[in-house]
Amino acid sequence: MAGSSVAKDVGLRALLPLVKGFLFGVVGFLAGSGLVAGVRALMGQDPWKLGPLLVVGYIFGLVGWLLGVGMWDYWVREWFGLSRKEEPSAGWGRFFRFCTDHKVIGVQYLVTFMVVLLLGGLLAVGMRVELMTPGRTIMGPGTYNTLMSLHGILMIAVAVAIIIGGFANFLVPLMIGCEEIAFPRINALSYWLIPPVAVLLLATPLMGGFETGWTAYPPLAVTNPRGELLFLLAFITFGFSSILGGLNFLTTIITLRAPGMTWFRLPIFVWSILAAAMISLTATQFVGFSLLTDVLDRVAGTSFYNSTQGGKPLLFQHLFWFYSHPAVYIMILPAFGIVLEVVSHLARKPLFAYRWVAGSFLGIVGLSFIVWAHHLFTSGMDERLHLPFMVTTELISIPTGMVFLAGLGTLWMGRLQLNTPMLFALGFFFNFLIGGITGIYLADVPTDLHFQDSYFVVSHFHYTIMGGEIFALLAATYYWFPKITGRMFSERLGRLHFWWMFVTYNLTFIPMFWTGLHGMPRRVADYPATLADTNWWVSVFAFLLAASFLVFVWNMVYSWVRGPVASANPWQARTLEWLTSSPPPHGNFPREPEVVGSPYDYGIPGAVHAVVGAAAGASNGE
Amino acid sequence: MAAHPSAIGWVPRPRLFINRVGLWLFILSESFLFGAALSSRYYLQGAERPPEVNQLLGLAITTVLLASSLSAYRAEMSAAHGHLSGLLRNLAATIALGLLFLIGVGVEWHEAFIYFPPADPYGTVFFTTTGLHAFHVLTGVIALSIVLYLGRDGRFTHGNYWGVEGAVKYWHFVDVAWVFIYPTLYLVR
Amino acid sequence: MEQRGLAAALRRGRWVFVALMVLTVVEFILLWLNIPRILFRFLLLVINGVDAGLILYYFMHIAQLWRKEA
Ligand SMILES: [Cu+2]
């Protein structure tokens, strides 16, 4: 039936765009660096100075890569008055090329960043091996610092991009009842900016590594080996991708809601993405600029941070944290959205205080822009700024607490189904409570002066992001697995994964609060010998924690290939994504859905959220 | 399965409105970038400025950029009213003025290298901010050139002129950014 | 009819441009007068705010976002 109307990739030819992208990238790199060498030679300067060659070569190489992988075929041709090529709308080749289908892009993001997550986890295992005993165990401090920095930036990238890029891409158009994201080609562009980031980061050890951690503070970032430059370029590229993603989600949610989908009928996950997208659209420019100033100080001879010339290194910290504090809300807001979604649908209860939660999300966004300097309490910033930033930081716990209580209120007296997604959501509440409460000591200036840069901070941060966001991510992965793959995972292995991970996770990180209080510094390969016993045990539990992911990966891979076929709505949930087949067809719904009520009216007889096609009569009333 | 299931039962998407919202959000995002650059200037330097800054050249390139905004506006209005020759003429004028602005910045840089090179504290913010802005001007010139090239056949004067509108809006934004950069680098004391 | 609309739009554009130029020249002249720093900075802020407002409203048609067009 489809015949010639559906272009399809066959066999290995499907990988052609990747090869083309790689070749164009190499050509672009050579052209860019050649250009710089030529210009410098003409101006009588040393043409082979590596910094400028790398930077300009990379920019040209990036453009070449994007054009080769599909931007030329499906986009840029139009700018030259040529007709756009038709995109294949079926076949596995779509996953390896510039594809504009939001569901394909969602899967691309999810799989890519799951791999990055495992990679970052392996690096953490390496760090824990070194930290098993005080003194040198297997590596020197330089190697350890590079390992630590790479672990940091890879995991930050996962935390920022995996839920928004993966789940939001797949789910937001479904949940608001439209067929495609607002700017599909920009969406594909934001994904294809990611592989160069990965290549640069993995190449950093070849150029001397980088030791600044993911925060790239000058002056170290300016004087570090050249691996730092690759890291800076990678981070800037990643930021650009994140901005384009935020732009796309905001536009989609503002303009493409289905008829009847009013603001207060939006599923709460969509609200959380809206809030997170506001931050990534705007604040990310600041981190881009801060990293750019590092690059300029390195290769263009400016003196932003060269204090002998009148530069001020503290400027970097202000610019950097103006993004990087709000960035934690890019990570955690979608996690809030996920657990509230899961809890409401699986406890069969209306979402408690829905409007307050939506308002709290926006409140968090607003407050997140005026708290950044709490990262500078010990940096020598003007002391008059301590009090205001302490107060604003603690104010955030009000909307955050409201979201937390809404979750508990939804669970209260619910008919809980204690299956894998629900278990992970409950794990989120437990871990995030610990993460949130320990955060108060870091927001308070008197205690922060002592805890700053100790393992207490490491543990606090991991409790919010790993115990919080990653647990929510796993809840989402199990919850939406049948929708995305059309197959069911093994519930037994899922529960095994949860308990194994939950127990080892807490055994790994609880002791870190203690080691931090006893003076163990973060980002250092060594520690006082008195902490040896505790650290040995922490490492052992960390290895067990890492091993729990083997169960997860096995369950996912095996179930995707061999799992039983899933029905359209295995959880009997009411949001729109469950009103279409699993996986949803190209175009999402057979007809445009019409929204007539709240998505959370569980237990209310006759309540309906949406109708898809009057004739079909498919609706989700009870 | 049909290739385009979307053809039936869907209200058409408000494409123009979507494009406008997207572009305005992009402009909002970019204004944070320039905000970062300008606030860095004040953080590093306060309102200090070396006496060698070429005031007449600054006023001249500001005038050129404002004039280019006028011609860009005229181009968009011409497209909206189906006036092809007006569109093409004004687009060409905008591109020319944009290039003239870039030449002005080039002259400015040439002088700046002598009086306050990039290693100098004022040179640091001056080169970074004007460089960032000039890069945006360059991308705007490229966008306008593409629109001029595509618009020769009159496609924009028959109803759908989003291509013109988008490039022109971006161009105006680059002008707005300069409206704040000019006093920050040249005037404030 | 069409042409009259265009002529009116072009006339409006000219006036906006004149206003922008006047404001720019005013801030340029202010630079050379010895007015107090605080007042000068305040005036710069006001003038550039008006500049930006004029461009956003008349040149970029920001009102398109919330006003339904005929
Ligand atoms: Cu913070």
Side-chain angles (χ1 to χ4, degrees):
Chain A
M1 182 168 88
S4 58
S5 71
V6 178
K8 202 169 176 175
D9 289 313
V10 195
L12 282 177
R13 268 189 45 212
L15 296 179
L16 213 58
L18 284 183
V19 178
K20 233 167 91 184
F22 180 74
L23 288 179
F24 279 38
V26 171
V27 172
F29 181 83
L30 293 176
S33 44
L35 187 72
V36 177
V39 170
R40 286 181 69 93
L42 282 181
M43 287 167 65
Q45 292 160 315
D46 168 25
W48 303 117
K49 199 179 164 207
L50 208 48
L53 293 193
L54 277 175
V55 173
V56 179
Y58 170 68
I59 296 169
F60 277 62
L62 183 66
V63 173
W65 153 259
L66 290 171
L67 290 178
V69 88
M71 246 180 101
W72 170 260
D73 282 351
Y74 306 124
W75 196 347
V76 181
R77 283 172 62 93
E78 282 185 358
W79 301 349
F80 294 85
L82 306 167
S83 66
R84 195 202 316 182
K85 287 199 180 163
E86 204 195 327
E87 213 178 282
S89 59
W92 58 271
R94 288 178 305 154
F95 292 94
F96 295 93
R97 68 158 72 222
F98 195 89
C99 175
T100 54
D101 185 325
H102 72 96
K103 296 187 291 298
V104 171
I105 297 174
V107 173
Q108 285 172 333
Y109 261 109
L110 268 179
V111 173
T112 309
F113 278 100
M114 281 290 178
V115 172
V116 178
L117 176 72
L118 298 176
L119 211 64
L122 274 183
L123 295 176
V125 167
M127 288 159 70
R128 283 319 311 182
V129 171
E130 171 54 36
L131 293 174
M132 274 187 103
T133 61
R136 184 190 167 107
T137 309
I138 55 162
M139 61 183 90
T143 315
Y144 178 86
N145 287 350
T146 296
L147 211 63
M148 175 273 294
S149 305
L150 266 181
H151 167 77
I153 186 62
L154 289 180
M155 290 309 209
I156 290 287
V158 169
V160 166
I162 192 167
I163 296 184
I164 296 200
F167 285 109
N169 242 322
F170 197 97
L171 293 168
V172 163
L174 286 164
M175 282 179 154
I176 66 174
C178 67
E179 1 156 39
E180 189 46 84
I181 216 112
F183 303 108
R185 292 181 293 189
I186 292 180
N187 201 15
L189 170 61
S190 16
Y191 173 73
W192 286 104
L193 282 167
I194 300 296
V197 175
V199 169
L200 280 186
L201 287 178
L202 296 178
T204 49
L206 305 177
M207 304 209 83
F210 65 108
E211 307 187 76
T212 51
W214 74 282
T215 47
Y217 277 14
L220 184 58
V222 179
T223 56
N224 232 216
R226 202 159 274 122
E228 185 80 35
L229 184 59
L230 301 192
F231 157 73
L232 294 169
L233 293 174
F235 201 165
I236 292 175
T237 314
F238 179 71
F240 187 47
S241 156
S242 183
I243 290 169
L244 295 179
L247 179 118
N248 231 329
F249 287 115
L250 277 175
T251 314
T252 306
I253 298 170
I254 292 171
T255 60
L256 287 175
R257 282 165 290 130
M261 182 61 93
T262 56
W263 285 104
F264 289 118
R265 282 178 186 164
L266 282 178
I268 204 68
F269 178 65
V270 179
W271 268 107
S272 72
I273 295 300
L274 181 82
M278 287 177 182
I279 298 173
S280 61
L281 176 77
T282 53
T284 313
Q285 295 281 8
F286 267 72
V287 80
F289 184 76
S290 73
L291 301 166
L292 178 70
T293 55
D294 266 354
V295 172
L296 290 177
D297 267 15
R298 287 186 71 103
V299 302
T302 54
S303 40
F304 281 98
Y305 308 124
N306 183 349
S307 45
T308 58
Q309 290 277 356
K312 294 182 180 168
L314 217 52
L315 168 65
F316 179 87
Q317 300 186 23
H318 282 292
L319 293 171
F320 182 84
W321 288 109
F322 188 79
Y323 161 77
S324 295
H325 183 83
V328 305
Y329 297 106
I330 303 180
M331 305 172 192
I332 207 67
L333 281 169
F336 287 157
I338 286 170
V339 291
L340 292 180
E341 221 42 85
V342 167
V343 156
S344 171
H345 299 308
L346 296 185
R348 321 301 301 165
K349 280 266 313 276
L351 181 59
F352 185 74
Y354 168 90
R355 286 181 183 226
W356 287 91
V357 173
S360 297
F361 286 169
L362 299 181
I364 290 174
V365 171
L367 283 172
S368 76
F369 281 95
I370 49 170
V371 301
W372 77 91
H374 62 221
H375 294 272
L376 282 75
F377 287 154
T378 60
S379 296
M381 170 182 76
D382 190 334
E383 284 191 7
R384 282 168 300 181
L385 294 175
H386 284 184
L387 183 66
F389 279 101
M390 179 173 110
V391 171
T392 51
T393 303
E394 299 199 341
L395 275 180
I396 286 206
S397 53
I398 296 173
T400 314
M402 214 126 74
V403 174
F404 196 86
L405 289 179
L408 296 189
T410 311
L411 287 169
W412 193 258
M413 308 272 283
R415 245 184 320 121
L416 266 58
Q417 306 170 36
L418 281 178
N419 48 21
T420 313
M422 181 58 124
L423 285 172
F424 273 101
L426 295 176
F428 168 94
F429 284 113
F430 181 86
N431 296 334
F432 194 78
L433 183 66
I434 296 177
I437 286 178
T438 50
I440 295 174
Y441 300 97
L442 298 173
D444 270 339
V445 179
T447 38
D448 182 63
L449 294 181
H450 300 280
F451 296 167
Q452 168 76 13
D453 267 345
S454 76
Y455 257 70
F456 191 90
V457 179
V458 174
S459 193
H460 155 72
F461 188 69
H462 282 79
Y463 259 98
T464 54
I465 300 306
M466 188 181 178
E469 190 199 349
I470 298 300
F471 271 68
L473 168 77
L474 292 168
T477 308
Y478 285 108
Y479 181 71
W480 280 295
F481 184 85
K483 183 50 65 184
I484 293 173
T485 64
R487 306 236 176 205
M488 209 57 195
F489 57 88
S490 156
E491 177 66 27
R492 227 155 44 103
L493 287 179
R495 284 180 206 204
L496 173 68
H497 174 211
F498 170 76
W499 286 112
W500 186 342
M501 182 173 166
F502 181 73
V503 171
T504 53
Y505 170 79
N506 279 289
L507 289 175
T508 306
F509 283 94
I510 287 272
M512 286 188 192
F513 287 120
W514 186 84
T515 57
L517 290 179
H518 287 76
M520 181 161 165
R522 75 193 281 214
R523 296 179 165 178
V524 177
D526 200 5
Y527 51 83
T530 47
L531 302 175
D533 284 354
T534 321
N535 270 298
W536 192 83
W537 279 110
V538 167
S539 288
V540 169
F541 288 125
F543 303 149
L544 290 173
L545 171 60
S548 74
F549 275 83
L550 294 176
V551 183
F552 170 67
V553 172
W554 169 255
N555 194 359
M556 291 297 107
V557 173
Y558 183 84
S559 307
W560 200 333
V561 182
R562 290 277 162 79
V565 173
S567 66
N569 189 359
W571 314 115
Q572 309 301 317
R574 300 167 50 94
T575 37
L576 264 170
E577 79 271 26
W578 303 106
L579 276 187
T580 182
S581 59
S582 301
H586 190 63
N588 292 346
F589 300 97
R591 277 167 178 281
E592 180 161 58
E594 203 189 327
V595 180
V596 292
S598 153
Y600 299 112
D601 283 343
Y602 289 104
I604 299 172
V608 174
H609 174 46
V611 189
V612 180
S619 76
N620 57 351
E622 297 208 355
Chain B
M1 194 177 73
H4 299 287
S6 49
I8 42 149
W10 289 76
V11 178
R13 313 167 102 204
R15 196 64 248 180
L16 183 61
F17 183 62
I18 297 172
N19 288 342
R20 281 179 181 160
V21 170
L23 185 61
W24 276 105
L25 288 174
F26 184 69
I27 286 171
L28 176 72
S29 173
E30 290 279 274
S31 61
F32 273 70
L33 176 63
F34 286 107
L38 294 182
S39 42
S40 300
R41 184 261 195 273
Y42 292 109
Y43 189 92
L44 285 176
Q45 288 274 296
E48 295 297 310
R49 172 162 43 85
E52 294 91 353
V53 172
N54 189 337
Q55 289 296 349
L56 280 180
L57 192 52
L59 183 64
I61 58 177
T62 305
T63 309
V64 168
L65 205 57
L66 288 176
S68 77
S69 245
L70 175 63
S71 60
Y73 169 80
R74 295 168 68 99
E76 186 188 342
M77 287 300 114
S78 302
H81 289 87
H83 187 4
L84 179 61
S85 64
L87 168 68
L88 300 182
R89 207 172 48 234
N90 282 299
L91 277 179
T94 312
I95 294 167
L97 287 166
L99 292 174
L100 191 60
F101 175 84
L102 286 177
I103 292 170
V105 173
V107 174
E108 187 76 314
W109 275 36
H110 195 72
E111 281 183 20
F113 263 112
I114 300 163
Y115 297 116
F116 38 89
D120 187 82
Y122 181 78
T124 295
V125 287
F126 178 83
F127 279 98
T128 305
T129 312
T130 53
L132 209 57
H133 182 262
F135 176 73
H136 281 77
V137 172
L138 185 66
T139 52
V141 165
I142 293 172
L144 290 168
S145 307
I146 291 171
V147 171
L148 176 62
Y149 173 73
L150 292 178
R152 290 163 310 158
D153 60 2
R155 73 171 72 182
F156 295 125
T157 42
H158 291 102
N160 181 358
Y161 62 96
W162 166 249
V164 179
E165 188 189 325
V168 165
K169 272 201 171 71
Y170 179 73
W171 188 259
H172 289 311
F173 165 69
V174 173
D175 199 5
V176 172
W178 185 257
V179 160
F180 291 98
I181 294 172
Y182 173 58
T184 305
L185 292 180
Y186 289 83
L187 302 181
V188 78
R189 63 185 159 85
Chain C
M1 194 60 214
E2 276 285 275
Q3 292 308 315
R4 275 238 305 278
L6 179 58
L10 296 186
R11 211 171 319 120
R12 192 163 44 223
R14 254 192 314 273
W15 277 115
V16 175
F17 174 68
V18 169
L20 290 171
M21 275 318 296
V22 168
L23 287 169
T24 308
V25 171
V26 165
E27 57 179 1
F28 188 74
I29 292 171
L30 284 176
L31 172 70
W32 308 99
L33 303 178
N34 240 338
I35 54 174
R37 275 180 177 221
I38 293 295
L39 180 64
F40 181 52
R41 289 177 191 175
F42 176 73
L43 286 176
L44 280 187
L45 210 62
V46 171
I47 290 175
N48 294 304
V50 174
D51 270 348
L54 286 173
I55 299 178
L56 287 174
Y57 190 82
Y58 288 105
F59 281 175
M60 299 172 80
H61 315 286
I62 194 170
Q64 282 169 340
L65 284 178
W66 52 84
R67 195 185 291 154
K68 278 271 169 283
E69 275 175 281

